[in-house]
Amino acid sequence: SNSIRSDSCRVETLHLQGIPIGDDGLEVLARGLADSKSLWLLELDNSVDVSETSAGWLAFSRALCDTSSVNSTYLSNHTICEFRLGGAYDQDAILPRDISRYLQLHKQHPRYAARCKILM
């Protein structure tokens, strides 16, 4: 997790297919990716729970937009544009709504994603 947070890390895609990480693993992964400045694609095994109340998805939502303060929102992750579950490309149909919205914002407005999140 510290390696991927490093400013010198240039990992752009992370494929974790075939690795059922579960809800706890998803939480740990979210904390590790919160500060990533280069990752834009994360591919997970299709066994991941995608319910909006899943603790793992709540952690990812915080990693993408930490609303605890304006500064925390600004420092949230703004580079991840795609999550794929089990190779599925239609992330909007699978992912919790808030996460899909943040990913679209990252993809459509990469230079202004932080500002847009603060104004949401």
Side-chain angles (χ1 to χ4, degrees):
S1 131
N2 285 339
S3 297
I4 202 125
R5 288 177 158 178
S6 167
D7 287 338
S8 62
C9 179
R10 299 291 176 243
V11 174
E12 293 181 355
T13 60
L14 186 58
H15 300 275
L16 300 176
Q17 279 287 353
I19 303 172
I21 61 174
D23 214 34
D24 292 339
L26 202 56
E27 279 188 87
V28 171
L29 186 60
R31 284 195 305 268
L33 297 176
D35 298 325
S36 172
K37 304 292 185 247
S38 60
L39 189 74
W40 63 270
L41 168 65
L42 177 61
E43 189 165 1
L44 301 172
D45 192 75
N46 61 357
S47 65
V48 173
D49 177 13
V50 294
S51 66
E52 292 194 31
T53 58
S54 157
W57 286 120
L58 292 173
F60 261 109
S61 183
R62 277 191 309 276
L64 297 175
C65 187
D66 182 348
T67 59
S68 62
S69 71
V70 171
N71 194 47
S72 294
T73 302
Y74 185 79
L75 295 174
S76 297
N77 181 293
H78 310 298
T79 60
I80 299 175
C81 294
E82 257 185 87
F83 278 110
R84 292 185 194 153
L85 297 174
Y89 290 86
D90 186 10
Q91 62 191 14
D92 293 334
I94 298 171
L95 296 172
R97 188 177 310 122
D98 60 335
I99 292 175
S100 290
R101 185 175 56 223
Y102 299 141
L103 298 177
Q104 286 298 323
L105 186 60
H106 296 174
K107 192 180 289 185
Q108 294 172 356
H109 306 287
R111 294 183 63 201
Y112 305 106
R115 290 182 224 162
C116 291
K117 288 179 192 177
I118 290 168
L119 297 173
M120 288 173 89

